[in-house]
Amino acid sequence: MRQTVLVCALASLAFLAGCDGSDEDERGGAGAEAPSVQVAGVARREILDTADFIGRVEAIDTIDLTARVEGFLERRGAQDGSYVDQGAELFLIEPEPYEAAVAKAEAGVAQAGADLALAAVELDRARELLARETIPQAQYDTAFAQRDAAQARLQAAEADRRQAELRLGYTRITAPFAGRIGRIASSEGAVVGPATGPLANLTRISPIYVAFSLGEAQFLSILDESGAEDLRGNVDPERSPPVRIILPNDESYPEPGAIAFVDNRVDPRTGTIGLRARFENARGLLWPGTFVTVEVGSEEAEVRLVVPQASVQRDQRGPFVLVVGEDGLVEQRHVELGKQVGSDVVVAEGLQEGESVIVEGLQRVRPGVPVNAVPAAPREG
């Protein structure tokens, strides 16, 4: 009897304990708070309809400065990496030996001039004597030939003098255009010449080119937008669609450029055609060899819907965002995206202006669950 009472008591306690736990679970589920997420609104923004390409900055002019005569490097007129003006003296090779060569050549010209004057006098005398028939024709012919030979020697002496003057001029190396000089290879006092290699490189910085390539369809679209009837003449920068570039630090370059060169054929290997855009580069921000993003497109902006890039996720069907509806429930919405603009991305289809998309807290929610939506901090750009 006692055992029966004990068993019933234990069963009653287990039943009561089970009931109390169930009630707590139900109260806990009912009292759980919805997860908080940060949302941003689908907004309209003025966007330039452009196509992006990878471009490379190229110098319009770049040369290696090489000594054309041999001698000691007497003076360097520029420092490594400095900017130089057109006509500035960059290097001076010891000029004294070449000045002496010029003086010697001038003496040779004077000697040849004196010989010609004497030969001319002899020819005049021979002409008079021949007229009097006091000398034979052969003697007159000899005087005539000597005058011509003296004239030829004078011409040769003058050519030697010009050559000596040219070589003297080569001792002074000047900048053929304004630009930035690279590392100078030789020190003052070193022997330089044609065989020693370039003294330095000089590159024009302003203006400058950005080279890029377009596909055939893109190229034809740009031609149509520019209104060009044909390209049989030179490219007209004034009719070029605007060209903008994004620097490697993701900042927009402030100066617009214009297409200044179109290649004469499509590359059969890539199906693209090469172009160059010209930029004034007044501030010198563009350096040859730098890779940049080139934007070519319309000059007038169009209003497009944008969302933060942070709200976009992807699955097997493609990109999607999580939208918080008016009822506070999460909805998965697949979208068609356009170009990225700063921290935003253009949405072509799938969203409407004013809807809210989750930008932070995505890992804590799933479609169909309620959430506590908090506005995210205003975004820039």
Side-chain angles (χ1 to χ4, degrees), residues 285-300:
L285 295 178
L286 301 179
W287 288 73
T290 304
F291 286 95
V292 295
T293 301
V294 181
E295 294 184 343
V296 184
S298 61
E299 192 167 1
E300 297 182 358

Side-chain angles (χ1 to χ4, degrees), residues 103-329:
K104 182 178 180 181
E106 290 176 343
V109 170
Q111 179 65 52
D115 292 344
L116 177 59
L118 178 59
V121 171
E122 293 291 343
L123 178 59
D124 291 341
R125 183 180 296 112
R127 185 179 293 110
E128 293 176 1
L129 294 176
L130 181 62
R132 299 174 187 175
E133 297 183 353
T134 57
I135 60 171
Q137 179 69 37
Q139 186 174 345
Y140 171 79
D141 294 340
T142 299
F144 190 89
Q146 289 175 345
R147 193 282 308 270
D148 287 350
Q151 191 171 21
R153 288 194 295 272
L154 175 60
Q155 293 174 348
E158 290 174 341
D160 290 341
R161 181 180 62 184
R162 287 195 296 271
Q163 181 67 25
E165 290 172 344
L166 283 174
R167 292 176 65 81
L168 175 60
Y170 294 154
T171 62
R172 183 173 178 266
I173 301 175
T174 60
F177 51 82
R180 191 173 300 278
I181 195 169
R183 187 178 67 86
I184 299 175
S186 298
S187 302
E188 292 182 356
V191 177
V192 296
T196 60
L199 297 172
N201 175 269
L202 179 64
T203 298
R204 187 189 297 274
I205 300 299
S206 176
I208 205 164
Y209 283 145
V210 173
F212 59 102
S213 297
L214 298 181
E216 299 174 63
Q218 296 166 325
F219 175 64
L220 293 175
S221 298
I222 288 177
L223 284 184
D224 181 64
E225 184 174 331
S226 65
E229 297 179 359
D230 58 57
L231 284 177
R232 288 177 294 180
N234 294 327
V235 176
D236 185 0
E238 295 184 358
R239 304 182 67 180
S240 164
V243 181
R244 302 173 182 83
I245 55 177
I246 306 299
L247 300 175
N249 61 356
D250 293 331
E251 292 186 3
S252 297
Y253 185 70
E255 305 171 11
I259 295 175
F261 165 79
V262 177
D263 208 347
N264 60 358
R265 67 186 183 92
V266 173
D267 189 336
R269 297 172 300 175
T270 61
T272 60
I273 186 168
L275 292 89
R276 286 177 181 167
R278 176 184 169 119
F279 293 82
E280 288 304 318
N281 198 27
R283 296 174 56 193
L285 295 178
L286 301 179
W287 288 73
T290 304
F291 286 95
V292 295
T293 301
V294 181
E295 294 184 343
V296 184
S298 61
E299 192 167 1
E300 297 182 358
E302 297 183 4
V303 178
R304 301 287 182 87
L305 293 178
V306 297
V307 295
Q309 178 68 34
S311 67
V312 179
Q313 303 181 78
R314 284 174 171 78
D315 59 13
Q316 294 180 347
R317 291 180 53 190
F320 69 90
V321 295
L322 296 181
V323 179
V324 178
E326 295 181 357
D327 55 1
L329 298 180

Side-chain angles (χ1 to χ4, degrees), residues 12 15 25 97 109 123 149 173 195 297 306 308 347 350 355 362:
S12 299
F15 174 77
D25 288 345
V109 170
L123 178 59
I173 301 175
V306 297
V347 178
E355 291 186 307
L362 295 166

